[in-house]
Structures are given as structure tokens and as C-alpha cells.
Amino acid sequence: MVRWRSGTVTAVRRRWAGAVELDVDLPGGDRMRALAYPALVGDPEPGDRVLLNAGALLMGLGTGGYALVVALPDRLPADPPQAGDSRDAGHLVKARYTPLQPILLGVDEEASPHHARLAAAESLDGMPVVTADLHSALPAILAGVHADAPHARVAYLLTDGGALPAWFSRTLAGLAGHLAGTVSVGQAFGGDLEASTLHSGLLAARHVLHADLAIVAQGPGNLGTGTRWGFSGVAVGEAVNAVATLGGRPVGSLRVSAADPRPRHRGVSHHSLTAYGRVALAAADLVVPEGLDPELTAAVTAALTPLADRHRIVTVPTDGLDAALRASPVGLSTMGRGLDADHAYFLTAAAAGRHAAGLLG
């Protein structure tokens, strides 16, 4: 449960879109690194007293390595300018029935200027949609898309398997201007558009953001238990089903690695094999890059052979993709490993982006 702490802000370390990183001193002399979302709690300043949820930091969780600011109890933010007693400014509640639930304007609800368009929308019109297990695949997929289709409008669908606030992601902040927009779906929030489900979010990407192509992945902070079904990336299979239901073209970005120290994630991760092999009921293009180490190629081929009856296994050339990855506007990192330390992972994601770009009419 929650491990509460109270302290005083001593320094503002850095800011990015929607978030501010702080140093907080606790009674007794301890110091914690903390993160605040100003849209939820206000904008902390040195000297402010803050209430913290310190559980993830105290447990040493990698992605969640912050104490999170719950409130500035002595300097509460003003009410939002929109009326809060009607649905005119939206009534989409996310992180529902938690103490910091935000009430937002859903892209397709009645008060939205896009309501009529989305009420009539039924299809993605064949739009390619790349589905990925980890948030770290996002910039690599985008690099692969833009390597061949530099002017393609790419939307990102932030699902709620990892971090719920889009503001947590420094990757998203760094990709500003490179994406057509972010749609936060389910319990996730903080995107350019808010949607209650992945289905409505996909339609918004196509018909509101006018995306040529979309990428679906959870936010930072994948949850895994070391079991076949107990991981948040299982939702990748459901994303394939949603894309196919809406008339899109699913493209699977496989989680491939020769560097992960855990045997279940080497070759093709068991996460990908479960999501695409057991959960996805619709066919997807599962992309394998050319040029992998021969031993890794053999392992990937063997792992994907049982999936070939349902999915299309596509081999994609990789010339130019390494350069595209190195030119990414944001740093590449997965599980603490950079591009050179886990090259196969990022190359596979970029190849999925390249294949999706090749599907554009």
C-alpha cells in the first residue's frame, strides 16, 4: 500500500512537458528525489511542504524511481477555469476513484468539437498500426517509419499498462514535433486527446489527428511477474484485435533480444509469443529484421514457426535503419540497455516501423 512521507522542497532539478523533478528533504535529514505533475497538484517551489507517496522509490523500482507528490497542502492550486458543475468541459474520469482522479474532456463525448465526426466513424480505412510491448520501442518504431516516409503523420496511442500520466515519459516530451499527437486511452491520461477505450482512441488518431499510421504501446513501467499471463504487455494481443475489428492493418513489433539476462526474454520474448500467439485472434504482420546474428536469427525463426498459421511472418531489410536509430531525437534505452547494448531489440522495432511505412498507399 501507500508509504507516506512529508517533506520540504529544497530544489527544482529539471522540467519536461507536464512534470517537474524535485529534491525533497525529510525530517531527520533524509533527501528524496520526487516528481510532481503540476496539472494535478500545482507547481512546487523551494520551501513548499509536500506530501509524498514514496513506495516505489523505497522499493527501488527502476522506472518508478521517484517519490510522487500527492499534494502541496499549504498552497493548493486554484480550481480549473472550466466549469466543474456540468459536463460542458468534459466528464471523462480517469484513474477513477483514486484520490487524484482527473476529470477530462473525452475526444468523442458530447461536449467535444469532434463528437459528430467520431459518432460517424466506423473504420480506420486500412491504416497501419504498429503494436509494441514496451514503451521503449516507441522512438525506434518512429525512426523506422520516418527513415522511409519522413512526412508520414504518426499518432501514438498510450495504453494504461504502465505509467498512466503521459507526462511521466521524457521520451514523449522529446518527441514533441515528431508525432501528430498522443491519444491517452483507458485509464491513461495527459495526451493531446483523451479517449475512454483503445477503439475510440484509434478512430480519433485516424479521423481527428489525421494520422497516416499509429503506434500502440503502454507507458513506461511494464509490469511482469515471470509467468505466462501475468504481464501488462498481454494487452498487445488485444490491441491487434481492436485494430483488425476497426479495419486497420496490425503490424507486430516483436520483443527480440540477445542481451537480456533472463532466458525467457532472449530470442523472441515469451511476452510477444503469448500476446501474439495466444491473445491475438486476428492476423498481424510480425516483422523480423534482416541482418541479425545467425544464432539469434535461428532462435527467432524457431520461436515464430508455431505462429505462422495465424500471422504473416515478414522479413524486412535493415539498410539505413542503424543510422536512423542513431539520429533519433531522444535517447534509446530498454531495461537500462542502450542501442549498442541491445541492438537487436531496437533494430526489430525500427524494422516494424519500416514495414508499416511500406503499407502506406
Side-chain angles (χ1 to χ4, degrees), residues 128 130 144-145 148 213 249-252 285-287 312 314-316 350-360:
V130 184
V145 172
D148 292 355
L213 185 152
R249 181 74 181 266
V251 175
D285 294 354
L286 302 184
V287 177
R312 298 171 291 271
V314 182
T315 302
V316 172
R354 164 167 280 175
H355 177 67
L359 299 175
L360 296 175

Side-chain angles (χ1 to χ4, degrees), residues 30-57:
D30 290 338
R31 173 168 292 181
M32 284 188 166
R33 185 176 66 158
L35 194 71
Y37 303 119
L40 292 183
V41 301
D43 200 349
E45 299 174 355
D48 281 336
R49 185 166 67 96
V50 290
L51 301 181
L52 304 174
N53 179 341
L57 177 62

